[in-house]
């Protein structure tokens, strides 16, 4: 930007004069800048709203269309110190007997006390291995040779065992090797054999009756479920929809009781109602927001003249009103409310949300923007309906199939209709309820106009500065000529 020295001769404040002369153009640019700000705020508002609509669509509505959402089962063991059970949706309801015969164990070898002062850096020659040799390791059904040399350290030996699929360490405090399988069960067990003198030097000759080394074999867990035997390499079994974790052996059979998980199904439906309520309340709130007539985004100069709190309140007033009486918002809200009032024929009987004790409050009872919000009778978290009889839970317990069928139909209809609102068009992207493409185009156009007006304001400023500069030059020359004439005439 050029440095302008003006008004030196005339004494005029040409800077202020130029700004006044171009003020109408600057105001035009400022108008577009405010339009840009409002449009960007509106985009942000729509992005937030669209995210919530899509969350309902892809989450609760998508899940509740499926039968598995209403097939939750729970299984209780009569003695949970012996076993715990998780039931899948395909688990058979009723009682079953369970006996825990054996728990799974891991192959574990505790070496003999070497009765020395060895460390992981000690060489095997110090333990008595004076020539190259090897021991045989059998693990997971595979036989491998572990080479031993006098120069090998204790640490290198344990690392060689680890490389072949075992856990291995040396405890210098107790002067013992500790070796174990990486997994439980009989198949994962291991054996050490071969050079017995070398194994004896290492304190690992557990087959020697006089050795202090102790080897516990890896074993499978065994249970009897309804008198049929099952084995597992771990303490977990997956059998016909049941995941059973055994904890202790039993001395007699315990009972596993499987039934409909009323609470799980209830909480699934309650979660959907809660999410729907939050969305419909927000839709109605932004649609019915107060008008912000006379409020426009503030310029930098206007913000400087106000407190930070006042600026925040001013901008909130505008932002809250951006979707007021928006036809898309109104359309989505109406569609959701109308669909939630639907009635479905299930096994010859008509059901609606009210059949399950779910409904809205009276028009004069509900507070502003909550007239479309649903309440579940007996819901302890809802002060408006907690005192009513809990009809929903009772119906889930008595007839889970009808409850599930109703909510499947309702969720499917909502899913379809919301999906239709989110279809891609020339003006909007896929999974978007508002015209995001159109808004992006409008924003690009506004930015172009701002840029054009900035150039025009600069051109006008340059024009007027050049005019004033020419005037200053003329006045300077006139003043110089006057001084010259005065000198000639002797009047200086």
């Amino acid at each position: 930007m050029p440095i302008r020295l003006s008004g030196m001769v005339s004494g005029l404040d040409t800077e202020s004069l130029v700004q006044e002369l171009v003020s109408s153009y600057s105001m035009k640019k400022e108008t577009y800048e405010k339009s840009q700000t409002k449009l960007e705020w509106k985009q942000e508002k729509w992005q937030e709203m669209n995210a919530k609509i899509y969350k309902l669509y892809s989450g609760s509505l998508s899940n509740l269309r499926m039968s598995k959402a209403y097939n939750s089962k729970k299984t209780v063991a009569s003695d949970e110190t012996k076993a715990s059970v998780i039931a899948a949706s395909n688990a058979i309801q009723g009682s079953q007997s369970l006996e825990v015969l054996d728990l799974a164990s891991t192959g574990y070898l505790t070496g003999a006390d070497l009765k020395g002062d060895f460390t992981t850096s000690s060489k095997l020659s110090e333990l008595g291995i004076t020539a190259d040799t090897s021991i045989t390791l059998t693990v997971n059904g595979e036989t491998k040779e572990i080479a031993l040399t006098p120069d090998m350290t204790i640490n290198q030996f344990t690392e060689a065992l680890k490389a072949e699929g075992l856990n291995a360490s040396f405890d210098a405090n107790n002067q013992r090797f500790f070796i174990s399988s990486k997994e439980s069960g009989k198949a994962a067990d291991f054996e050490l054999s071969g050079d017995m003198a070398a194994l004896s030097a290492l304190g690992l000759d557990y087959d020697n009756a006089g050795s202090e080394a102790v080897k516990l074999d890896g074993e499978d867990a065994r249970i009897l479920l309804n008198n049929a035997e099952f084995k597992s390499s771990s303490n977990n079994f997956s059998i016909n929809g049941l995941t059973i974790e055994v904890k202790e052996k039993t001395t007699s059979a315990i009972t596993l009781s499987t039934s409909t998980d009323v609470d799980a199904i209830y909480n699934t439906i309650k979660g959907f109602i809660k999410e729907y309520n939050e969305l419909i309340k927000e839709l109605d709130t932004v649609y019915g927001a107060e008008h912000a007539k006379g409020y426009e985004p503030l310029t930098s100069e206007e913000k400087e003249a106000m407190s930070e709190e006042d600026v925040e309140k001013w901008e909130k007033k505008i932002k809250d009103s951006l979707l007021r009486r928006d036809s898309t918002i109104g359309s989505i809200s109406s569609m959701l409310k109308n669909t939630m009032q639907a009635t479905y024929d299930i096994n010859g009987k008509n059901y609606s949300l009210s059949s399950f004790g779910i409904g809205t409050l009276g028009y004069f009872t509900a507070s502003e923007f909550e007239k479309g919000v649903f309440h579940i009778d007996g819901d302890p978290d809802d002060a408006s309906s907690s005192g009513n009889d809990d009809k929903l839970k009772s119906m889930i317990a008595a007839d889970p199939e009808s409850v599930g069928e109703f909510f499947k139909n309702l969720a499917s209809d909502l899913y379809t209709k919301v999906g239709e609102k989110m279809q891609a068009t020339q003006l909007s992207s896929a999974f978007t309820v508002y015209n995001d493409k159109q808004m992006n185009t409008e924003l690009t156009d506004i930015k172009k106009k701002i840029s054009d007006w900035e150039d025009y304001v600069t051109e006008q400023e340059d024009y007027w500065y050049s005019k004033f500069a020419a005037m200053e030059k003329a006045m300077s020359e006139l003043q110089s000529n006057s001084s010259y004439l005065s000198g000639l005439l002797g009047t200086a």
Side-chain angles (χ1 to χ4, degrees):
M1 183 177 180
I3 298 175
R4 298 182 174 109
L5 299 175
S6 55
M8 299 293 290
V9 177
S10 66
L12 296 173
D13 184 357
T14 53
E15 182 76 23
S16 297
L17 289 171
V18 169
Q19 293 307 310
E20 283 294 325
L21 289 166
V22 302
S23 62
S24 60
Y25 309 126
S26 297
M27 288 178 64
K28 189 68 175 178
K29 177 176 76 76
E30 189 177 279
T31 299
Y32 282 118
E33 288 174 337
K34 291 183 177 184
S35 296
Q36 177 186 345
T37 299
K38 286 183 74 172
L39 186 55
E40 288 173 339
W41 286 348
K42 192 172 185 178
Q43 274 188 320
E44 291 174 6
K45 193 83 171 178
W46 261 123
Q47 286 166 358
E48 293 172 4
M49 186 65 72
N50 195 81
K52 292 174 182 178
I53 294 171
Y54 181 74
K55 181 175 178 290
L56 178 70
Y57 171 79
S58 61
S60 294
L61 296 182
S62 180
N63 295 335
L64 290 174
R65 296 177 302 144
M66 310 302 175
S67 296
K68 63 182 181 181
Y70 314 98
N71 288 339
S72 296
K73 306 284 178 60
K74 65 177 179 180
T75 299
V76 178
S78 59
D79 187 347
E80 294 191 348
T81 65
K82 300 295 189 291
S84 60
V85 190
I86 298 174
S89 59
N90 63 327
I92 298 172
Q93 294 194 179
S95 298
Q96 303 181 65
S97 66
L98 171 69
E99 294 180 62
V100 182
L101 305 179
D102 290 303
L103 297 177
S105 60
T106 300
Y108 205 99
L109 170 56
T110 302
D113 184 352
L114 298 181
K115 302 184 188 307
D117 190 22
F118 305 113
T119 69
T120 56
S121 299
S122 299
K123 294 185 177 181
L124 299 191
S125 57
E126 298 176 48
L127 277 68
I129 298 176
T130 58
D132 291 353
T133 185
S134 65
I135 59 174
T136 302
L137 167 65
T138 303
V139 59
N140 289 323
E142 296 183 24
T143 300
K144 304 170 184 180
E145 295 294 317
I146 304 294
L148 305 178
T149 67
D151 288 335
M152 177 182 279
T153 65
I154 286 177
N155 182 64
Q156 288 172 331
F157 171 60
T158 57
E159 289 300 316
L161 292 175
K162 289 178 184 178
E164 298 300 343
L166 294 178
N167 296 315
S169 63
F170 179 75
D171 185 341
N173 290 328
N174 291 288
Q175 292 292 293
R176 295 173 185 263
F177 284 99
F178 291 89
I179 303 170
S180 64
S181 302
K182 287 192 173 181
E183 298 176 356
S184 61
K186 195 167 187 176
D189 196 16
F190 68 94
E191 297 290 341
L192 292 176
S193 58
D195 188 336
M196 298 307 296
L199 288 172
S200 179
L202 296 169
L204 301 176
D205 56 338
Y206 55 89
D207 281 335
N208 186 336
S211 173
E212 295 180 3
V214 178
K215 169 70 164 54
L216 298 178
D217 294 336
E219 297 290 348
D220 291 336
R222 292 190 308 128
I223 64 171
L224 290 178
L225 184 63
N226 302 324
N227 291 327
E229 183 173 330
F230 297 89
K231 293 182 180 181
S232 172
S233 60
S234 71
N235 288 319
N236 294 308
F237 295 79
S238 181
I239 305 170
N240 197 30
L242 296 181
T243 299
I244 305 170
E245 179 187 2
V246 294
K247 302 175 181 178
E248 292 182 13
K249 290 184 179 182
T250 58
T251 55
S252 59
I254 63 174
T255 302
L256 307 182
S257 302
T258 303
S259 60
T260 298
D261 192 339
V262 174
D263 287 338
I265 298 172
Y266 175 88
N267 288 333
T268 296
I269 295 171
K270 179 178 173 178
F272 156 64
I273 295 295
K274 179 181 178 182
E275 189 175 358
Y276 169 86
N277 285 344
E278 290 172 352
L279 177 60
I280 203 69
K281 183 177 178 180
E282 184 159 4
L283 287 168
D284 288 352
T285 299
V286 298
Y287 185 81
E290 291 183 6
H291 203 294
K293 187 176 182 180
Y295 285 77
E296 290 294 332
L298 300 167
T299 63
S300 299
E301 292 78 8
E302 289 169 335
K303 287 182 180 180
E304 289 175 2
M306 299 169 65
S307 68
E308 187 174 327
E309 183 180 356
D310 286 340
V311 169
E312 186 176 335
K313 288 180 179 178
W314 184 281
E315 292 185 345
K316 185 177 185 303
K317 179 75 172 178
I318 299 171
K319 291 177 181 179
D320 287 348
S321 70
L322 290 173
L323 300 182
R324 169 184 161 83
R325 299 293 184 263
D326 185 283
S327 60
T328 300
I329 292 289
S331 174
I332 294 171
S333 177
S334 295
M335 176 273 291
L336 291 172
K337 291 174 182 176
N338 290 336
T339 306
M340 290 289 278
Q341 298 294 336
T343 299
Y344 300 97
D345 183 321
I346 300 169
N347 298 324
K349 185 177 179 180
N350 288 331
Y351 290 88
S352 65
L353 282 173
S354 61
S355 304
F356 307 97
I358 303 174
T360 58
L361 299 179
Y363 185 85
F364 296 104
T365 305
S367 58
E368 188 178 16
F369 306 132
E370 291 197 354
K371 302 188 189 306
V373 169
F374 283 88
H375 302 263
I376 303 174
D377 286 346
D379 179 1
D381 299 321
D382 190 335
S384 301
S385 58
S386 59
N388 301 332
D389 291 338
D390 195 334
K391 196 171 183 180
L392 177 59
K393 267 190 181 179
S394 298
M395 292 193 69
I396 294 172
D399 189 3
E401 291 79 12
S402 293
V403 175
E405 201 61 33
F406 171 83
F407 281 98
K408 273 173 56 182
N409 287 330
L410 178 61
S412 295
D413 280 355
L414 284 167
Y415 184 85
T416 299
K417 291 176 181 178
V418 173
E420 290 171 353
K421 294 285 187 184
M422 304 185 86
Q423 286 183 345
T425 68
Q426 290 184 334
L427 302 178
S428 64
S429 305
F431 301 113
T432 308
V433 297
Y434 68 104
N435 294 338
D436 60 317
K437 291 180 181 178
Q438 181 183 21
M439 293 179 74
N440 286 333
T441 300
E442 291 174 0
L443 190 58
T444 299
D445 291 343
I446 290 174
K447 289 179 178 179
K448 176 65 169 56
K449 288 176 180 177
I450 291 172
S451 178
D452 290 344
W453 277 101
E454 284 177 343
D455 292 343
Y456 189 67
V457 168
T458 300
E459 289 174 6
Q460 290 298 309
E461 286 177 341
D462 291 343
Y463 171 78
W464 286 111
Y465 275 119
S466 67
K467 292 294 185 182
F468 280 110
M471 181 191 73
E472 293 287 334
K473 182 179 179 182
M475 291 181 69
S476 176
E477 290 175 352
L478 179 61
Q479 188 179 62
S480 176
N481 290 336
S482 296
S483 297
Y484 177 73
L485 287 172
S486 295
L488 287 176
L489 296 174
T491 60

